[in-house]
Amino acid sequence: MAITRTLNKRFNSFEAEEQWLNELAQSGWRLVDYDKKEIGENYYVFQVDLDAVNMRYKIDFRSLKDKEEFDDYKELFHEAGWELIAKNHYYMKHIFISIEGKDIYSDQLSLIDRERRRRNIMSIYVIGFTAAVIGAYIATFYFDYDWLNALIIMGIPVVIWYSYGLYKFHKKVRQLQHGR
């Protein structure tokens, strides 16, 4: 029976997450599962694997429209020496592993595109939560429900939090574009 370890961790950057995964690999832990509904969001399942010290993790972020596009995506990475080992249940974040050591992002433009995709998703969150807060505020003029005020009070920090995240993604894209 293989020894497993389950960890719950959140990251603000893919670089920090990749570094953490690579450090665990150097300690002999190989990622075998991630972010399944059965184990919970942001849970990582590792297994002892002596070959893990030779492995390298990279993360990509991409929305795929159907199974055919997903299969083509996996095949493209496979041909480049990367195996998909985990994805989040929204099918946007993909964790790859390789022994060959090549980088997923062969040029700066592909890295910029990944960060743009993340920024665009964050924009949708900001717009959605902002619309919900504004809608709840307008509704308070027509309805006298306490839960509308609660939605506004709880929604404003969420909008601020996601707006800050959007700002950070925008700043990161600009830094990458200017080579900093």
PDB file of all heavy atoms in Angstrom, residues 2 17 22 45 83 90 108 111 114 119 125 135 148-150 164 170 179:
ATOM      1  N   ALA A   2       0.595   2.169  -0.907  1.00  0.00           N
ATOM      2  CA  ALA A   2       1.388   3.394  -1.048  1.00  0.00           C
ATOM      3  C   ALA A   2       1.044   4.377   0.069  1.00  0.00           C
ATOM      4  O   ALA A   2      -0.104   4.494   0.487  1.00  0.00           O
ATOM      5  CB  ALA A   2       1.148   4.023  -2.395  1.00  0.00           C
ATOM      6  N   GLU A  17       3.007  28.249  -6.484  1.00  0.00           N
ATOM      7  CA  GLU A  17       2.454  26.898  -6.442  1.00  0.00           C
ATOM      8  C   GLU A  17       3.405  25.898  -7.102  1.00  0.00           C
ATOM      9  O   GLU A  17       3.648  24.815  -6.573  1.00  0.00           O
ATOM     10  CB  GLU A  17       1.095  26.876  -7.132  1.00  0.00           C
ATOM     11  CG  GLU A  17       0.365  25.569  -7.022  1.00  0.00           C
ATOM     12  CD  GLU A  17      -1.045  25.646  -7.572  1.00  0.00           C
ATOM     13  OE1 GLU A  17      -1.467  26.713  -8.061  1.00  0.00           O
ATOM     14  OE2 GLU A  17      -1.744  24.614  -7.518  1.00  0.00           O
ATOM     15  N   ASN A  22       7.340  21.560  -6.737  1.00  0.00           N
ATOM     16  CA  ASN A  22       8.688  21.090  -7.058  1.00  0.00           C
ATOM     17  C   ASN A  22       9.487  20.777  -5.800  1.00  0.00           C
ATOM     18  O   ASN A  22      10.274  19.824  -5.777  1.00  0.00           O
ATOM     19  CB  ASN A  22       9.403  22.092  -7.954  1.00  0.00           C
ATOM     20  CG  ASN A  22       8.842  22.094  -9.362  1.00  0.00           C
ATOM     21  OD1 ASN A  22       8.525  21.046  -9.914  1.00  0.00           O
ATOM     22  ND2 ASN A  22       8.691  23.261  -9.942  1.00  0.00           N
ATOM     23  N   VAL A  45      -3.331  15.718  -3.261  1.00  0.00           N
ATOM     24  CA  VAL A  45      -3.053  14.378  -2.751  1.00  0.00           C
ATOM     25  C   VAL A  45      -1.709  13.949  -3.325  1.00  0.00           C
ATOM     26  O   VAL A  45      -1.517  13.943  -4.544  1.00  0.00           O
ATOM     27  CB  VAL A  45      -4.159  13.375  -3.143  1.00  0.00           C
ATOM     28  CG1 VAL A  45      -3.833  11.985  -2.610  1.00  0.00           C
ATOM     29  CG2 VAL A  45      -5.518  13.848  -2.630  1.00  0.00           C
ATOM     30  N   GLU A  83       3.053  15.602 -19.107  1.00  0.00           N
ATOM     31  CA  GLU A  83       1.861  14.795 -18.863  1.00  0.00           C
ATOM     32  C   GLU A  83       0.922  15.550 -17.942  1.00  0.00           C
ATOM     33  O   GLU A  83       1.349  16.060 -16.891  1.00  0.00           O
ATOM     34  CB  GLU A  83       2.235  13.461 -18.212  1.00  0.00           C
ATOM     35  CG  GLU A  83       2.955  12.507 -19.117  1.00  0.00           C
ATOM     36  CD  GLU A  83       2.143  12.086 -20.325  1.00  0.00           C
ATOM     37  OE1 GLU A  83       0.924  11.858 -20.191  1.00  0.00           O
ATOM     38  OE2 GLU A  83       2.729  12.016 -21.417  1.00  0.00           O
ATOM     39  N   TYR A  90     -13.112  22.839 -12.543  1.00  0.00           N
ATOM     40  CA  TYR A  90     -13.653  23.775 -13.532  1.00  0.00           C
ATOM     41  C   TYR A  90     -12.945  23.624 -14.879  1.00  0.00           C
ATOM     42  O   TYR A  90     -13.283  24.306 -15.833  1.00  0.00           O
ATOM     43  CB  TYR A  90     -13.498  25.225 -13.055  1.00  0.00           C
ATOM     44  CG  TYR A  90     -14.253  25.509 -11.788  1.00  0.00           C
ATOM     45  CD1 TYR A  90     -13.581  25.758 -10.602  1.00  0.00           C
ATOM     46  CD2 TYR A  90     -15.643  25.499 -11.765  1.00  0.00           C
ATOM     47  CE1 TYR A  90     -14.272  26.004  -9.442  1.00  0.00           C
ATOM     48  CE2 TYR A  90     -16.344  25.740 -10.607  1.00  0.00           C
ATOM     49  CZ  TYR A  90     -15.656  25.994  -9.438  1.00  0.00           C
ATOM     50  OH  TYR A  90     -16.337  26.229  -8.288  1.00  0.00           O
ATOM     51  N   GLN A 108       8.062  34.392 -24.162  1.00  0.00           N
ATOM     52  CA  GLN A 108       7.403  35.336 -23.248  1.00  0.00           C
ATOM     53  C   GLN A 108       5.927  35.551 -23.614  1.00  0.00           C
ATOM     54  O   GLN A 108       5.090  35.722 -22.746  1.00  0.00           O
ATOM     55  CB  GLN A 108       8.161  36.665 -23.274  1.00  0.00           C
ATOM     56  CG  GLN A 108       7.761  37.630 -22.212  1.00  0.00           C
ATOM     57  CD  GLN A 108       8.319  37.266 -20.839  1.00  0.00           C
ATOM     58  OE1 GLN A 108       8.925  36.234 -20.626  1.00  0.00           O
ATOM     59  NE2 GLN A 108       8.107  38.147 -19.891  1.00  0.00           N
ATOM     60  N   LEU A 111       3.539  32.993 -22.045  1.00  0.00           N
ATOM     61  CA  LEU A 111       3.370  33.269 -20.615  1.00  0.00           C
ATOM     62  C   LEU A 111       2.438  34.465 -20.402  1.00  0.00           C
ATOM     63  O   LEU A 111       1.564  34.443 -19.530  1.00  0.00           O
ATOM     64  CB  LEU A 111       4.733  33.532 -19.976  1.00  0.00           C
ATOM     65  CG  LEU A 111       4.766  33.723 -18.470  1.00  0.00           C
ATOM     66  CD1 LEU A 111       4.180  32.512 -17.750  1.00  0.00           C
ATOM     67  CD2 LEU A 111       6.182  33.984 -18.005  1.00  0.00           C
ATOM     68  N   ARG A 114      -1.129  33.328 -20.874  1.00  0.00           N
ATOM     69  CA  ARG A 114      -1.674  32.628 -19.705  1.00  0.00           C
ATOM     70  C   ARG A 114      -2.170  33.634 -18.673  1.00  0.00           C
ATOM     71  O   ARG A 114      -3.266  33.513 -18.137  1.00  0.00           O
ATOM     72  CB  ARG A 114      -0.623  31.712 -19.072  1.00  0.00           C
ATOM     73  CG  ARG A 114      -1.158  31.020 -17.810  1.00  0.00           C
ATOM     74  CD  ARG A 114      -0.131  30.251 -17.061  1.00  0.00           C
ATOM     75  NE  ARG A 114       0.746  31.130 -16.299  1.00  0.00           N
ATOM     76  CZ  ARG A 114       1.698  30.689 -15.484  1.00  0.00           C
ATOM     77  NH1 ARG A 114       1.920  29.399 -15.346  1.00  0.00           N
ATOM     78  NH2 ARG A 114       2.443  31.538 -14.820  1.00  0.00           N
ATOM     79  N   ARG A 119      -6.446  36.967 -15.993  1.00  0.00           N
ATOM     80  CA  ARG A 119      -6.975  38.320 -15.767  1.00  0.00           C
ATOM     81  C   ARG A 119      -8.403  38.442 -16.305  1.00  0.00           C
ATOM     82  O   ARG A 119      -9.272  39.035 -15.663  1.00  0.00           O
ATOM     83  CB  ARG A 119      -6.061  39.346 -16.435  1.00  0.00           C
ATOM     84  CG  ARG A 119      -6.518  40.787 -16.235  1.00  0.00           C
ATOM     85  CD  ARG A 119      -5.724  41.754 -17.060  1.00  0.00           C
ATOM     86  NE  ARG A 119      -5.985  41.514 -18.480  1.00  0.00           N
ATOM     87  CZ  ARG A 119      -5.259  42.020 -19.456  1.00  0.00           C
ATOM     88  NH1 ARG A 119      -4.232  42.784 -19.195  1.00  0.00           N
ATOM     89  NH2 ARG A 119      -5.549  41.764 -20.710  1.00  0.00           N
ATOM     90  N   TYR A 125     -15.423  37.822 -12.678  1.00  0.00           N
ATOM     91  CA  TYR A 125     -15.805  37.786 -11.258  1.00  0.00           C
ATOM     92  C   TYR A 125     -16.101  39.187 -10.736  1.00  0.00           C
ATOM     93  O   TYR A 125     -17.088  39.403 -10.044  1.00  0.00           O
ATOM     94  CB  TYR A 125     -14.706  37.152 -10.399  1.00  0.00           C
ATOM     95  CG  TYR A 125     -14.536  35.666 -10.575  1.00  0.00           C
ATOM     96  CD1 TYR A 125     -13.322  35.056 -10.275  1.00  0.00           C
ATOM     97  CD2 TYR A 125     -15.567  34.860 -11.036  1.00  0.00           C
ATOM     98  CE1 TYR A 125     -13.152  33.690 -10.425  1.00  0.00           C
ATOM     99  CE2 TYR A 125     -15.400  33.494 -11.188  1.00  0.00           C
ATOM    100  CZ  TYR A 125     -14.188  32.914 -10.874  1.00  0.00           C
ATOM    101  OH  TYR A 125     -14.023  31.568 -11.012  1.00  0.00           O
ATOM    102  N   GLY A 135     -27.216  45.595  -7.857  1.00  0.00           N
ATOM    103  CA  GLY A 135     -28.586  45.110  -7.962  1.00  0.00           C
ATOM    104  C   GLY A 135     -29.260  45.027  -6.601  1.00  0.00           C
ATOM    105  O   GLY A 135     -30.430  45.415  -6.438  1.00  0.00           O
ATOM    106  N   LEU A 148     -31.043  41.736   1.748  1.00  0.00           N
ATOM    107  CA  LEU A 148     -30.455  42.600   0.721  1.00  0.00           C
ATOM    108  C   LEU A 148     -29.325  43.443   1.322  1.00  0.00           C
ATOM    109  O   LEU A 148     -28.260  43.595   0.708  1.00  0.00           O
ATOM    110  CB  LEU A 148     -31.513  43.506   0.093  1.00  0.00           C
ATOM    111  CG  LEU A 148     -32.522  42.838  -0.832  1.00  0.00           C
ATOM    112  CD1 LEU A 148     -33.625  43.808  -1.211  1.00  0.00           C
ATOM    113  CD2 LEU A 148     -31.817  42.315  -2.082  1.00  0.00           C
ATOM    114  N   ASN A 149     -29.570  43.985   2.509  1.00  0.00           N
ATOM    115  CA  ASN A 149     -28.516  44.761   3.182  1.00  0.00           C
ATOM    116  C   ASN A 149     -27.326  43.861   3.526  1.00  0.00           C
ATOM    117  O   ASN A 149     -26.169  44.284   3.409  1.00  0.00           O
ATOM    118  CB  ASN A 149     -29.069  45.432   4.438  1.00  0.00           C
ATOM    119  CG  ASN A 149     -30.044  46.530   4.092  1.00  0.00           C
ATOM    120  OD1 ASN A 149     -29.870  47.234   3.104  1.00  0.00           O
ATOM    121  ND2 ASN A 149     -31.092  46.682   4.901  1.00  0.00           N
ATOM    122  N   ALA A 150     -27.615  42.641   3.953  1.00  0.00           N
ATOM    123  CA  ALA A 150     -26.532  41.700   4.268  1.00  0.00           C
ATOM    124  C   ALA A 150     -25.725  41.381   3.010  1.00  0.00           C
ATOM    125  O   ALA A 150     -24.490  41.295   3.064  1.00  0.00           O
ATOM    126  CB  ALA A 150     -27.101  40.425   4.879  1.00  0.00           C
ATOM    127  N   TYR A 164      -8.807  43.868  -6.340  1.00  0.00           N
ATOM    128  CA  TYR A 164      -7.375  43.875  -6.030  1.00  0.00           C
ATOM    129  C   TYR A 164      -6.659  42.756  -6.800  1.00  0.00           C
ATOM    130  O   TYR A 164      -5.580  42.965  -7.360  1.00  0.00           O
ATOM    131  CB  TYR A 164      -7.147  43.734  -4.526  1.00  0.00           C
ATOM    132  CG  TYR A 164      -5.694  43.678  -4.143  1.00  0.00           C
ATOM    133  CD1 TYR A 164      -4.870  44.787  -4.299  1.00  0.00           C
ATOM    134  CD2 TYR A 164      -5.134  42.510  -3.651  1.00  0.00           C
ATOM    135  CE1 TYR A 164      -3.529  44.740  -3.972  1.00  0.00           C
ATOM    136  CE2 TYR A 164      -3.797  42.450  -3.316  1.00  0.00           C
ATOM    137  CZ  TYR A 164      -2.996  43.562  -3.473  1.00  0.00           C
ATOM    138  OH  TYR A 164      -1.671  43.499  -3.155  1.00  0.00           O
ATOM    139  N   HIS A 170      -3.385  42.396 -13.801  1.00  0.00           N
ATOM    140  CA  HIS A 170      -3.109  43.423 -14.815  1.00  0.00           C
ATOM    141  C   HIS A 170      -1.659  43.909 -14.690  1.00  0.00           C
ATOM    142  O   HIS A 170      -0.951  44.047 -15.697  1.00  0.00           O
ATOM    143  CB  HIS A 170      -4.089  44.585 -14.666  1.00  0.00           C
ATOM    144  CG  HIS A 170      -3.897  45.666 -15.673  1.00  0.00           C
ATOM    145  ND1 HIS A 170      -4.235  45.503 -17.004  1.00  0.00           N
ATOM    146  CD2 HIS A 170      -3.374  46.911 -15.562  1.00  0.00           C
ATOM    147  CE1 HIS A 170      -3.922  46.596 -17.665  1.00  0.00           C
ATOM    148  NE2 HIS A 170      -3.409  47.467 -16.815  1.00  0.00           N
ATOM    149  N   GLY A 179       9.091  43.184 -19.999  1.00  0.00           N
ATOM    150  CA  GLY A 179      10.301  42.421 -19.695  1.00  0.00           C
ATOM    151  C   GLY A 179      10.882  42.625 -18.332  1.00  0.00           C
ATOM    152  O   GLY A 179      12.080  42.460 -18.130  1.00  0.00           O
TER     153      GLY A 179
END
